[in-house]
Amino acid sequence: MAVAIAALSLLLLMIAAYRGMSVILMAPLLAMLAVFLTDPAAVPAAFSGLFMEKVASFLKLYFPVFLLGALFGKLVEISGFSRAIVTAVIGVIGAGRAIPAIMAVTALLTYGGVSVFVAVFAVYPFAAEMFRRADIPKRLVPATIGLGALTFTMDALPGTPQIQNIIPTSFFGTTTWAAPVLGLIGSVFIAVSGLAYLGWRRRAMLAAGEGYGAPETLVNEPEAIEGEVRVHPLIALLPLVVVGVGNLLLTLAIPRWVAGEEVMLSLPGMVEPVAVKVAQVSALWAVEGALLLGIGTILLFAFRTVAKRFAEGSKAAVGGALLAGMNTAVEYGFGAVIAALPGFLVVKEALRAIPNPLVNEAITVTSLAGITGSASGGLSIALAAMAEQFAAAGDAAGIPREVLHRVASMASGGMDSLPHNGAVITLLAVTGLTHRQAYKDIFALTLIKTVTVFVVIAVYYLTGLV
């Protein structure tokens, strides 16, 4: 019964998300339904002390990233930079290759350290413009961005600075470059398979007579600016480069600038000083600083153009950031509630029975990521509870810790992207599409990503490559 309660809540949330209902409304209702069916007296405390606490903690940490990312993406659009880059790319590779071009741009951003959420805001104006020019259905935009941001650069490519590749290092004593050969094989498999699938879908839609979409039916659509392109593509590309390089340099510099593990804030009007743990926020400070540098770069080269539409554009950016941030925050709160229920503990314990160490690890991590709707959340829960067991079984079987790292990291990005996943909801909200319109193709990539983990495991057992 405990498992059925958790499964019912999860299933209802996925159905609600797919049918276009507000996750901001449905996530707390369904989380509290699960608590009510488990222990009715615990509902008020679970809502205030667990659900809302997690929502508030998520927004406290990440809303500035959502806000600056949305503003950066909007300024890229209204400055004309997006159109300049798209025009240049089409001139070099042709309009027909919009899908691999957008995947590559997104992958470069995320591998350069830009948050997945920021990459969505930054790339969407380019993707919309390129897909419109090539008359590719807009509902393929989320899957294309997702292929570049939510698959191989998130957890497979060696050295990627995304959190899903960082979490295993503290459990297995590895580095982000763990198992580089297996990571590269997995990355190539995902990229090639994903592009093949999206190319097939595009041809099928073209044969059915489907184009980009009628303007009157599209939501959150960047404006099509006609006329001559007045911005050099290298200048237009500069803000993206500044964000990527700035994020890398600030990530390296902030720990050196800030002495000690904590910063004590004590202002005259404060009753007590506040301690800020640098390790928890330095990566966020780096991203926020990089986005400010990117915004400053746009203003430096296109101040007059941006100033004419800044008020209107910034309002739209703030609205988008609020929606995307709240969607993801309530998913985080929902996952925390489900993870606290007895049914979740039953599932976690049942997964211990799988005999093969790597298969056990892969299934456990991707299952918990799917249940919580979060790659990093499921990975953290799985490794916190079972990392010692995985390591002991791996040592007994002669499996290097680097392989355990890579399998765990890649598995976290498998079934996490079910309909209730925060990144999926954010991606759809930013692109102005619904689950019914665009989730099918995202789910196909989810299946490819999940299969890839087991391909990597098979490659390891067949070749011994690490």
Short mmCIF file of all heavy atoms in Angstrom, two decimals, residues 383-408:
data_model
loop_
_atom_site.label_atom_id
_atom_site.label_comp_id
_atom_site.label_asym_id
_atom_site.label_seq_id
_atom_site.Cartn_x
_atom_site.Cartn_y
_atom_site.Cartn_z
N LEU A 383 23.16 7.51 -4.16
CA LEU A 383 24.55 7.35 -3.71
C LEU A 383 24.68 7.55 -2.20
O LEU A 383 25.51 6.89 -1.56
CB LEU A 383 25.45 8.33 -4.46
CG LEU A 383 25.60 8.05 -5.96
CD1 LEU A 383 26.63 9.00 -6.58
CD2 LEU A 383 26.00 6.61 -6.24
N ALA A 384 23.88 8.43 -1.64
CA ALA A 384 23.94 8.62 -0.19
C ALA A 384 23.55 7.34 0.54
O ALA A 384 24.10 7.01 1.60
CB ALA A 384 23.02 9.77 0.23
N ALA A 385 22.61 6.60 -0.03
CA ALA A 385 22.12 5.39 0.63
C ALA A 385 22.93 4.15 0.25
O ALA A 385 23.07 3.23 1.07
CB ALA A 385 20.65 5.17 0.27
N MET A 386 23.50 4.09 -0.97
CA MET A 386 24.02 2.82 -1.47
C MET A 386 25.41 2.91 -2.08
O MET A 386 25.89 1.93 -2.66
CB MET A 386 23.04 2.24 -2.50
CG MET A 386 21.64 2.03 -1.95
SD MET A 386 20.45 1.49 -3.21
CE MET A 386 21.07 -0.14 -3.57
N ALA A 387 26.09 4.05 -2.00
CA ALA A 387 27.40 4.18 -2.63
C ALA A 387 28.40 3.17 -2.07
O ALA A 387 29.19 2.58 -2.82
CB ALA A 387 27.94 5.59 -2.46
N GLU A 388 28.36 2.94 -0.76
CA GLU A 388 29.28 1.99 -0.15
C GLU A 388 29.02 0.58 -0.67
O GLU A 388 29.95 -0.19 -0.92
CB GLU A 388 29.17 2.04 1.36
CG GLU A 388 29.68 3.34 1.97
CD GLU A 388 29.63 3.31 3.48
OE1 GLU A 388 29.26 2.26 4.05
OE2 GLU A 388 29.96 4.35 4.10
N GLN A 389 27.73 0.24 -0.83
CA GLN A 389 27.38 -1.07 -1.38
C GLN A 389 27.86 -1.20 -2.82
O GLN A 389 28.43 -2.23 -3.20
CB GLN A 389 25.87 -1.28 -1.32
CG GLN A 389 25.40 -2.57 -1.98
CD GLN A 389 23.88 -2.64 -2.09
OE1 GLN A 389 23.18 -2.15 -1.22
NE2 GLN A 389 23.38 -3.26 -3.15
N PHE A 390 27.63 -0.16 -3.64
CA PHE A 390 28.09 -0.19 -5.03
C PHE A 390 29.62 -0.35 -5.08
O PHE A 390 30.15 -1.14 -5.87
CB PHE A 390 27.70 1.09 -5.76
CG PHE A 390 26.22 1.29 -5.93
CD1 PHE A 390 25.67 2.56 -5.95
CD2 PHE A 390 25.36 0.21 -6.07
CE1 PHE A 390 24.32 2.76 -6.10
CE2 PHE A 390 23.99 0.39 -6.23
CZ PHE A 390 23.47 1.67 -6.24
N ALA A 391 30.32 0.42 -4.24
CA ALA A 391 31.78 0.38 -4.25
C ALA A 391 32.31 -0.99 -3.82
O ALA A 391 33.24 -1.53 -4.43
CB ALA A 391 32.33 1.48 -3.35
N ALA A 392 31.70 -1.55 -2.77
CA ALA A 392 32.15 -2.86 -2.28
C ALA A 392 31.92 -3.94 -3.33
O ALA A 392 32.80 -4.78 -3.58
CB ALA A 392 31.42 -3.21 -0.98
N ALA A 393 30.73 -3.92 -3.96
CA ALA A 393 30.44 -4.91 -5.00
C ALA A 393 31.36 -4.71 -6.20
O ALA A 393 31.82 -5.68 -6.82
CB ALA A 393 28.98 -4.80 -5.42
N GLY A 394 31.63 -3.45 -6.55
CA GLY A 394 32.52 -3.17 -7.66
C GLY A 394 33.94 -3.62 -7.38
O GLY A 394 34.61 -4.20 -8.24
N ASP A 395 34.42 -3.36 -6.15
CA ASP A 395 35.77 -3.80 -5.78
C ASP A 395 35.88 -5.32 -5.84
O ASP A 395 36.90 -5.87 -6.31
CB ASP A 395 36.11 -3.31 -4.37
CG ASP A 395 36.27 -1.79 -4.31
OD1 ASP A 395 36.42 -1.17 -5.38
OD2 ASP A 395 36.23 -1.24 -3.19
N ALA A 396 34.87 -6.01 -5.37
CA ALA A 396 34.89 -7.48 -5.39
C ALA A 396 34.93 -8.02 -6.81
O ALA A 396 35.51 -9.08 -7.07
CB ALA A 396 33.67 -8.02 -4.64
N ALA A 397 34.28 -7.29 -7.73
CA ALA A 397 34.24 -7.73 -9.12
C ALA A 397 35.38 -7.14 -9.95
O ALA A 397 35.46 -7.39 -11.16
CB ALA A 397 32.89 -7.35 -9.75
N GLY A 398 36.25 -6.36 -9.32
CA GLY A 398 37.37 -5.76 -10.04
C GLY A 398 36.98 -4.61 -10.95
O GLY A 398 37.67 -4.32 -11.93
N ILE A 399 35.89 -3.93 -10.63
CA ILE A 399 35.40 -2.81 -11.45
C ILE A 399 35.99 -1.51 -10.90
O ILE A 399 35.79 -1.19 -9.72
CB ILE A 399 33.86 -2.74 -11.43
CG1 ILE A 399 33.28 -4.03 -12.01
CG2 ILE A 399 33.36 -1.53 -12.23
CD1 ILE A 399 31.77 -4.13 -11.85
N PRO A 400 36.70 -0.71 -11.70
CA PRO A 400 37.27 0.54 -11.22
C PRO A 400 36.20 1.51 -10.74
O PRO A 400 35.08 1.53 -11.26
CB PRO A 400 38.01 1.10 -12.45
CG PRO A 400 38.23 -0.08 -13.33
CD PRO A 400 37.06 -0.99 -13.11
N ARG A 401 36.56 2.31 -9.76
CA ARG A 401 35.62 3.33 -9.25
C ARG A 401 35.23 4.32 -10.35
O ARG A 401 34.13 4.87 -10.34
CB ARG A 401 36.25 4.08 -8.08
CG ARG A 401 36.60 3.20 -6.86
CD ARG A 401 35.36 2.77 -6.13
NE ARG A 401 35.66 1.90 -5.01
CZ ARG A 401 35.87 2.32 -3.75
NH1 ARG A 401 35.80 3.62 -3.48
NH2 ARG A 401 36.12 1.46 -2.80
N GLU A 402 36.14 4.55 -11.31
CA GLU A 402 35.83 5.47 -12.41
C GLU A 402 34.63 4.98 -13.23
O GLU A 402 33.81 5.79 -13.69
CB GLU A 402 37.05 5.64 -13.32
CG GLU A 402 38.18 6.44 -12.71
CD GLU A 402 39.03 5.62 -11.75
OE1 GLU A 402 38.76 4.40 -11.64
OE2 GLU A 402 39.93 6.20 -11.11
N VAL A 403 34.53 3.68 -13.42
CA VAL A 403 33.40 3.12 -14.17
C VAL A 403 32.12 3.28 -13.36
O VAL A 403 31.06 3.62 -13.92
CB VAL A 403 33.66 1.64 -14.51
CG1 VAL A 403 32.46 1.05 -15.26
CG2 VAL A 403 34.91 1.51 -15.36
N LEU A 404 32.19 3.04 -12.05
CA LEU A 404 31.02 3.25 -11.20
C LEU A 404 30.55 4.71 -11.28
O LEU A 404 29.35 4.99 -11.35
CB LEU A 404 31.35 2.90 -9.74
CG LEU A 404 31.62 1.41 -9.44
CD1 LEU A 404 32.15 1.26 -8.02
CD2 LEU A 404 30.35 0.59 -9.62
N HIS A 405 31.50 5.63 -11.28
CA HIS A 405 31.18 7.06 -11.41
C HIS A 405 30.44 7.33 -12.71
O HIS A 405 29.36 7.94 -12.72
CB HIS A 405 32.48 7.86 -11.36
CG HIS A 405 32.32 9.32 -11.70
ND1 HIS A 405 32.78 10.33 -10.89
CD2 HIS A 405 31.75 9.97 -12.77
CE1 HIS A 405 32.50 11.50 -11.43
NE2 HIS A 405 31.89 11.31 -12.58
N ARG A 406 31.00 6.86 -13.83
CA ARG A 406 30.42 7.19 -15.13
C ARG A 406 29.04 6.57 -15.30
O ARG A 406 28.12 7.21 -15.82
CB ARG A 406 31.36 6.74 -16.25
CG ARG A 406 30.93 7.18 -17.65
CD ARG A 406 30.76 8.69 -17.76
NE ARG A 406 31.94 9.41 -17.33
CZ ARG A 406 31.92 10.64 -16.83
NH1 ARG A 406 30.77 11.27 -16.69
NH2 ARG A 406 33.05 11.23 -16.46
N VAL A 407 28.86 5.34 -14.86
CA VAL A 407 27.56 4.68 -14.97
C VAL A 407 26.51 5.39 -14.11
O VAL A 407 25.39 5.64 -14.56
CB VAL A 407 27.67 3.19 -14.58
CG1 VAL A 407 26.29 2.56 -14.43
CG2 VAL A 407 28.48 2.42 -15.62
N ALA A 408 26.88 5.74 -12.88
CA ALA A 408 25.93 6.44 -12.00
C ALA A 408 25.55 7.79 -12.59
O ALA A 408 24.36 8.17 -12.61
CB ALA A 408 26.54 6.62 -10.61
#
